Amino acid sequence: MAERPVRGTPAWLRETNDRTALSLLLEHGVLTRSRIGELSGLSKPTAAQMVSRLETAGIIHVVGEVSGGRGPNAASYAVRTDRMLGVAIDIDAVALRSSVTDASGTEHPIAVTPLARRSPEEDVRIAVDTACAAAGVAPDRVRAVCIGVQGALDPRTDELTYIETLPGWPKQGIRRRLEDALGYTVHIDNDANLAAIAERADGAGRDAGGFALLWMGDGLGLAVDQGGVVHRGASGGAGEIGYLPITREAAELDPDAHDLQDLVGGPAVARLAAAHGLPGFGSSDAGQTEDSSVGDSDAVDALLDQLATRVAVGVVPVLALLDPERVVLGGSTGRAGGARLAERVAALLREQWGSPTIVATDVPAHPVLRGAREHLLGELRDALFAEVSRITV
């Protein structure tokens, strides 16, 4: 890797200017040389040199022309986002969902593949190929993948834990195994952690100093955002709240429940919803919208009242240990219950815990994929900036 130019030298100034131009193009999209000069505050000749260097290096290209009034039309430029791509992958108990990501953050179609008893290499390769086919791009442009799983990866040992939903995936050496077999940079993260990244980017956590996401899907998890950084713990297993035993008082809600997963995990919510005549409530469909599966309002109110008492049991340790600025109720259950469930949970806890801020998820759909895309967006942009650093004049 080439050494960075010394601060204050002509080479450093060129690199700084080039990175500024790239940042502006990533932020604003298509720009002319003149507009880059205006936004950067640099002279037109300097802006022209910046554009020329980036174009020669193949980092940007001409995409059109803009009328310049009386003079000739001005060329407009954009970042070559097809140079390197990433694929976001969400693996749950039944399917792989995948979507291409590029450095501009463009939304690409989501491909869905049923989960079968394949090797992890086959799973990831199929997810990448189907995502690329859906986006109409070549798989050989993929440089990185980010995989959301219902489990945890220890960054010290490359060991997966809590992976009952991933048949055939080894516990040891999974990231290195995938990288060696497929040639991509591989990042594996817990699904709740990625969902929290999505909440921070464009959901209920976007304006918070920090928040906790109680993830209620098939499994139960907790993600903690501290000023925009997700806390994963030393072994990557922070937030495995589903394994917490419940109190004797909480056990009265369900005599068969032993831990929080038994009380408010996906199977428990499904049984509760079916008893109220709402079998579709809390479906694990990642694209479902708030209250999309509910019907009769009396039955819904009764279900939400009963469900809120269970969810409150899961929120109490979060408040006691973390005292977060807000608690976001996410996952399929949090989305299905929406603001009504959040309001009920807050009301139940108000007397003992003051006025905790409890809100429903505000990510439009596919939170795990969206979080994986955000991670990849940072990786791809870093790679582009690294290319700028290698430009020689």
Side-chain angles (χ1 to χ4, degrees), residues 279-369:
F281 181 92
S283 163
S284 60
D285 175 12
Q288 115 175 349
T289 56
E290 182 179 327
D291 296 343
S292 64
S293 61
V294 298
D296 177 72
S297 60
D298 290 337
V300 171
D301 286 340
L303 171 59
L304 292 180
D305 285 340
Q306 195 170 355
L307 184 58
T309 61
R310 296 183 175 220
V311 174
V313 174
V315 173
V316 165
V318 178
L319 297 176
L321 293 173
L322 301 174
D323 188 23
E325 182 177 326
R326 71 185 62 166
V327 177
V328 181
L329 304 184
S332 52
T333 298
R335 177 165 297 283
R340 289 184 289 173
L341 176 61
E343 290 164 2
R344 283 167 166 81
V345 173
L348 289 171
L349 298 173
R350 190 167 294 129
E351 181 176 349
Q352 183 178 0
W353 296 94
S355 299
T357 300
I358 300 174
V359 299
T361 175
D362 197 28
V363 176
H366 303 289
V368 178
L369 274 182

Side-chain angles (χ1 to χ4, degrees), residues 35-56:
R35 186 59 178 151
I36 290 172
E38 292 172 3
L39 291 171
S40 65
L42 298 171
S43 67
K44 288 184 178 180
T46 300
Q49 292 170 3
M50 291 154 52
V51 169
S52 178
R53 285 193 294 269
L54 292 174
E55 186 179 14
T56 300

Side-chain angles (χ1 to χ4, degrees), residues 44-325:
K44 288 184 178 180
T46 300
Q49 292 170 3
M50 291 154 52
V51 169
S52 178
R53 285 193 294 269
L54 292 174
E55 186 179 14
T56 300
I59 296 174
I60 67 174
H61 61 151
V62 176
V63 294
E65 292 184 342
V66 177
S67 174
R70 295 181 180 179
N73 292 344
S76 56
Y77 296 85
V79 177
R80 284 280 306 275
T81 55
D82 61 337
R83 286 172 58 92
M84 56 185 73
L85 301 171
V87 173
I89 303 172
D90 174 18
I91 306 178
D92 61 23
V94 297
L96 298 101
R97 296 177 177 84
S98 55
S99 180
V100 168
T101 303
D102 61 41
S104 69
T106 302
E107 292 273 348
H108 291 282
I110 295 171
V112 181
T113 307
L115 187 64
R117 290 190 174 275
R118 296 179 289 256
S119 70
E121 295 91 340
E122 290 176 302
D123 283 335
V124 175
R125 184 179 287 110
I126 288 172
V128 169
D129 288 346
T130 55
C132 289
V137 299
D140 62 5
R141 297 298 179 100
V142 175
R143 297 291 181 267
V145 296
C146 180
I147 307 169
V149 299
Q150 295 179 353
L153 180 72
D154 189 330
R156 304 167 302 180
T157 62
D158 197 15
E159 179 182 4
L160 273 175
T161 53
Y162 315 113
I163 55 167
E164 293 82 1
T165 58
L166 291 175
W169 281 53
K171 288 189 174 182
Q172 299 287 345
I174 180 60
R175 185 183 59 81
R176 176 171 294 182
R177 174 173 163 175
L178 289 172
E179 288 186 338
D180 290 346
L182 303 174
Y184 311 133
T185 298
V186 175
H187 178 76
I188 301 174
D189 206 345
N190 175 260
D191 53 359
N193 289 340
L194 292 175
I197 292 173
E199 293 288 352
R200 164 64 67 181
D202 54 14
R206 64 171 70 88
D207 60 345
F211 64 92
L213 169 67
L214 184 61
W215 179 257
M216 299 177 290
D218 293 330
L220 189 68
L222 178 73
V224 180
D225 173 292
Q226 298 174 315
V229 177
V230 175
H231 175 71
R232 293 176 173 84
S235 67
E240 293 295 341
I241 197 172
Y243 295 94
L244 284 180
I246 57 176
T247 64
R248 183 179 305 173
E249 179 181 295
E252 295 177 2
L253 299 172
D254 185 344
D256 296 325
H258 300 286
D259 53 29
L260 285 176
Q261 171 68 25
D262 294 336
L263 195 66
V264 76
V269 173
R271 289 192 298 271
L272 197 63
H276 286 274
L278 298 166
F281 181 92
S283 163
S284 60
D285 175 12
Q288 115 175 349
T289 56
E290 182 179 327
D291 296 343
S292 64
S293 61
V294 298
D296 177 72
S297 60
D298 290 337
V300 171
D301 286 340
L303 171 59
L304 292 180
D305 285 340
Q306 195 170 355
L307 184 58
T309 61
R310 296 183 175 220
V311 174
V313 174
V315 173
V316 165
V318 178
L319 297 176
L321 293 173
L322 301 174
D323 188 23
E325 182 177 326

